[in-house]
Amino acid sequence: MGEDVITKLDDFREIIKQYKDLIPDELEEKYKKILRRMVEAKKRGDNKKFEVLITEIQPVVMEISKILQKIVEEVKSKDLVEGEEILWFNRLTKGLFKKRLVQLWAITNKRAFIRDYEKDLVVAVPLNACEVVVMNQHRKSKGTHVGSFTGYAYGGFGGVVAGVSSSRSQSYGDLCFIQNGQIVLRFPGISDPQGVKNLVKTIQKQTAI
């Protein structure tokens, strides 16, 4: 059980890295410090200390989760049509110290789209009118997590979870949406591309007439 908890918390740490610009440094550091102590307690076999640390990290997880969920809610209010729910998304930012959102990649229960805030345009494709394939798939032992599932697709902390089961080795690739033999939309270099493809396939089956 302890190993499962550590794995989930380690995956959650990967999401924190992705949204580092939006999470206070002291909150992130507090999370990492408690997680390190949990790993040490697990190695020592100190189950009592491990349980105490779980109670310490829970409010930190909830506080960070509220920040992440707010990101999802802001996206929902700006870019979705009635009846849409975001199932997967990725944010692209610019800026060294004060980062700004420049692109949003998203998959909903109806479509996949790229929202370009600098150009003020949206490129979208209906999921019930396209094929989806993974290209350029490869693995990395270390790398930045690219893209996250939301709680509408899978259960997780605060409704946002990582797309991989372990942060130690990640699969990357391009998720391509095809119409009439042409790629009309591409999410390049995302994490767990096969998992995201499976999500799209599931949506397509559910919405098929």
Side-chain angles (χ1 to χ4, degrees), residues 109 127-129 200-209:
N109 55 323
L127 297 185
N128 61 1
V200 174
K201 288 290 188 182
T202 299
I203 298 167
Q204 290 174 328
K205 288 179 181 178
Q206 291 174 347
T207 57
I209 298 174

Side-chain angles (χ1 to χ4, degrees), residues 8-208:
K8 288 180 180 179
L9 291 172
D10 215 24
D11 286 341
F12 192 62
R13 183 178 60 177
E14 291 300 304
I15 297 178
I16 294 174
K17 288 180 182 178
Q18 184 181 359
Y19 300 104
K20 186 177 177 66
D21 57 310
L22 299 173
I23 298 171
D25 291 341
E26 62 273 15
L27 194 59
E28 179 186 1
E29 192 57 39
K30 185 176 182 180
Y31 181 88
K32 291 192 294 185
K33 184 177 179 179
I34 298 175
L35 182 56
R36 284 195 298 266
R37 291 167 62 196
M38 289 179 69
V39 172
E40 291 168 359
K42 184 63 182 176
K43 287 180 179 178
R44 294 195 307 269
D46 190 344
N47 293 330
K48 186 176 181 180
K49 183 64 175 180
F50 187 83
E51 293 296 328
V52 170
L53 290 170
I54 286 179
T55 62
E56 287 186 19
I57 204 169
Q58 282 176 339
V60 182
V61 168
M62 292 305 297
E63 191 171 352
I64 294 173
S65 295
K66 288 178 182 178
I67 296 172
L68 297 177
Q69 194 62 35
K70 185 178 179 182
I71 297 170
V72 177
E73 293 300 323
E74 288 176 350
V75 169
K76 286 174 62 178
S77 65
K78 293 178 181 177
D79 296 296
L80 300 189
V81 299
E82 186 176 355
E84 267 192 304
E85 297 287 358
I86 289 180
L87 306 180
W88 177 94
F89 70 102
N90 182 52
R91 300 166 66 257
L92 297 185
T93 59
K94 280 186 178 180
L96 185 59
F97 298 108
K98 188 176 181 180
K99 293 189 177 183
R100 67 184 188 280
L101 180 63
V102 294
Q103 276 193 2
L104 172 74
W105 306 349
I107 295 172
T108 75
N109 55 323
K110 297 178 181 292
R111 58 182 175 150
F113 68 86
I114 294 178
R115 174 74 159 91
D116 191 313
Y117 293 97
E118 290 187 319
K119 297 179 181 178
D120 193 23
L121 60 84
V122 176
V123 179
V125 57
L127 297 185
N128 61 1
C130 70
E131 295 179 52
V132 59
V133 298
V134 174
M135 297 183 177
N136 305 319
Q137 189 166 356
H138 59 282
R139 297 193 71 85
K140 292 181 183 179
S141 58
K142 292 183 179 180
T144 302
H145 194 84
V146 182
S148 298
F149 295 100
T150 73
Y152 298 108
Y154 300 96
F157 292 109
V160 184
V161 297
V164 292
S165 60
S166 172
S167 60
R168 292 171 180 80
S169 179
Q170 294 187 32
S171 175
Y172 293 86
D174 300 348
L175 191 69
C176 303
F177 299 84
I178 298 174
Q179 287 182 321
N180 301 318
Q182 300 292 322
I183 296 175
V184 294
L185 194 68
R186 180 193 297 262
F187 297 148
I190 66 171
S191 301
D192 190 21
Q194 194 62 48
V196 184
K197 176 186 174 181
N198 291 342
L199 170 66
V200 174
K201 288 290 188 182
T202 299
I203 298 167
Q204 290 174 328
K205 288 179 181 178
Q206 291 174 347
T207 57

